Amino acid sequence: MMEPWKRNALIVGAVVGLLSGLIAAYLWIQRAEQSQSQVKLTAQDGVKVGISVLSVLKQIAELGAGRR
């Protein structure tokens, strides 16, 4: 059985991921509506987003490292 703090961490992570994804999609839709065209995600944009996500995940993973 999973410890409660681990389960809570997974739930919080899932909720934060869901909300950030929804906000990103909403902002993308708003940008498309303002420019009155479809905003296309290029391969270069995909790589930029991927690197940014990995950077954020690395920062989150290192949050507790300095406290030991």
Side-chain angles (χ1 to χ4, degrees):
M1 186 145 180
M2 188 180 293
E3 296 177 47
W5 71 270
K6 290 180 183 180
R7 184 196 59 208
N8 292 341
L10 289 173
I11 291 170
V12 169
V15 170
V16 169
L18 173 68
L19 291 176
S20 62
L22 286 173
I23 291 169
Y26 176 78
L27 292 173
W28 195 5
I29 291 168
Q30 292 299 314
R31 182 175 158 199
E33 289 178 346
Q34 288 175 355
S35 65
Q36 296 180 345
S37 66
Q38 277 190 328
V39 179
K40 295 182 180 177
L41 183 66
T42 65
Q44 184 179 6
D45 291 336
V47 170
K48 286 180 186 178
V49 169
I51 291 172
S52 297
V53 168
L54 288 176
S55 175
V56 168
L57 290 174
K58 182 180 179 223
Q59 289 176 359
I60 291 170
E62 293 176 350
L63 277 176
R67 297 182 186 169
R68 292 181 185 199

